[in-house]
Amino acid sequence: HDIERPQPDVVTPGMYPCNAPSDAIVLFDGTDASAWTGSVQDNPKKKKYNPEGKMLWKVENGYLECTPTGSIRTKQKFGDCQFHIEWQTANPRQGDSQGAGNSGIFMMGRYETQVLDNYENRTYADGMAGCVYGQQPPMVNACKKPGDWQTYDIIFQAPRFEGDKLVSPAYVSVFLNGILVQHKTEILGPTTHKKLPVYKPHEKDSILLQDHNNNTRFRNIWLRELDLMKDESTPE
Ligand code: MG
């Protein structure tokens, strides 16, 4: 009951919970994609071609649409954060299983929360929307229909390293369309395909949106930088 105990900062909520609050870093507001950069794809014989690594996803009608030019990443690097994004997959659905509206949000460029159209579209459970890809299925399938805008609110705790040693793994909590699908799920390591991941030490890094050859759209992207371990002493 100590009146002198430090007060939490005041944060003015947005009009709706999906609106960026006062302390957010806005990464895409519907028109300005300058927070993002592309990835170099320099083989002209491949479908993905982007020799200068520019951000060549399409910006129109308030959204950012994946084009076959490679994944994009934030110029700024982040660690712990609360991240909001909205996404829309093609209607009518194109493809099935992992081929339907596949993208992904890679925290620190490594740890994927899957983006996929899983409305009445079966795929492996640890590859569904709301999963930690290849590791942990979502608690429920909270997908909306193809063409509906869907929301992710992701609380990400970055891994901590001391030298080469992992001292605390990454954790992620995820709300899909406001429904809890991951609760402080331990991430086993960087996203891999059918392999056991291994952590390698790294610093803060970009958030990556995956080009998985589907024209998935994104809008209203913002995050709040956090320090989720500031009250915990580093384990010995
Ligand atoms: Mg993906």
Side-chain angles (χ1 to χ4, degrees), residues 98 102-106 112-116 127 133 210 212:
Q98 291 288 306
N102 195 331
S103 182
I105 295 139
F106 285 67
E112 182 181 15
T113 299
Q114 174 72 303
V115 169
L116 195 69
Y133 184 81
Q210 184 185 37
H212 201 286

Side-chain angles (χ1 to χ4, degrees), residues 124-146:
Y124 45 95
D126 56 356
M128 290 173 65
C131 75
V132 178
Y133 184 81
Q135 299 185 18
Q136 185 64 41
M139 293 154 87
V140 292
N141 180 347
C143 272
K144 293 186 178 182
K145 292 199 289 288

Side-chain angles (χ1 to χ4, degrees), residues 30 47 79 133 157 169 226:
K47 188 183 167 206
Y133 184 81
Q157 181 173 312
L226 302 173

Side-chain angles (χ1 to χ4, degrees), residues 47-58:
K47 188 183 167 206
K48 288 181 198 182
Y49 184 56
N50 184 0
E52 289 172 52
K54 287 192 175 155
M55 205 300 289
L56 297 175
W57 288 20
K58 203 185 328 176

Side-chain angles (χ1 to χ4, degrees), residues 5-228:
R5 186 172 181 174
Q7 296 281 301
D9 292 339
V10 173
V11 176
T12 310
M15 179 76 79
Y16 303 99
C18 57
N19 292 150
S22 59
D23 63 346
I25 295 172
V26 175
L27 296 170
F28 180 65
D29 63 359
T31 55
D32 179 2
S34 63
W36 299 85
T37 184
S39 47
V40 173
Q41 312 280 337
D42 55 7
N43 184 348
K45 290 188 187 132
K46 290 231 164 125
K47 188 183 167 206
K48 288 181 198 182
Y49 184 56
N50 184 0
E52 289 172 52
K54 287 192 175 155
M55 205 300 289
L56 297 175
W57 288 20
K58 203 185 328 176
V59 177
E60 61 178 21
N61 304 321
Y63 55 72
L64 186 56
E65 182 178 306
C66 179
T67 60
T69 56
S71 301
I72 61 170
R73 55 175 65 234
T74 56
K75 292 175 184 167
Q76 200 174 335
K77 298 180 176 188
F78 303 103
D80 298 351
C81 64
Q82 173 185 347
F83 179 81
H84 177 90
I85 194 165
E86 299 168 20
W87 51 277
Q88 182 195 49
T89 59
N91 180 31
R93 175 179 297 139
Q94 290 156 11
D96 61 7
S97 186
Q98 291 288 306
N102 195 331
S103 182
I105 295 139
F106 285 67
M107 290 299 173
M108 306 183 102
R110 293 167 177 80
Y111 310 106
E112 182 181 15
T113 299
Q114 174 72 303
V115 169
L116 195 69
D117 170 9
N118 280 123
Y119 182 85
E120 298 176 354
N121 171 42
R122 191 179 174 94
T123 190
Y124 45 95
D126 56 356
M128 290 173 65
C131 75
V132 178
Y133 184 81
Q135 299 185 18
Q136 185 64 41
M139 293 154 87
V140 292
N141 180 347
C143 272
K144 293 186 178 182
K145 292 199 289 288
D148 286 355
W149 281 96
Q150 315 211 39
T151 63
Y152 262 147
D153 291 282
I154 299 173
I155 295 104
F156 177 75
Q157 181 173 312
R160 303 303 204 263
F161 301 94
E162 271 173 18
D164 282 347
K165 201 169 123 228
L166 177 74
V167 291
S168 176
Y171 293 94
V172 70
S173 300
V174 180
F175 291 87
L176 171 54
N177 298 319
I179 297 163
L180 187 68
V181 293
Q182 301 286 343
H183 175 224
K184 208 173 182 193
T185 302
E186 181 179 334
I187 298 179
L188 305 175
T191 300
T192 53
H193 190 76
K194 293 190 174 176
K195 267 193 289 199
L196 277 177
V198 181
Y199 275 107
K200 286 205 188 94
H202 61 84
E203 305 286 316
K204 285 185 178 182
D205 211 339
S206 305
I207 295 171
L208 180 144
L209 297 182
Q210 184 185 37
D211 171 9
H212 201 286
N213 304 309
N214 295 140
N215 55 346
T216 304
R217 294 169 177 169
F218 298 92
R219 70 180 187 191
N220 192 19
I221 312 172
W222 53 263
L223 69 69
R224 300 177 58 241
E225 291 189 289
L226 302 173
D227 181 358
L228 293 171

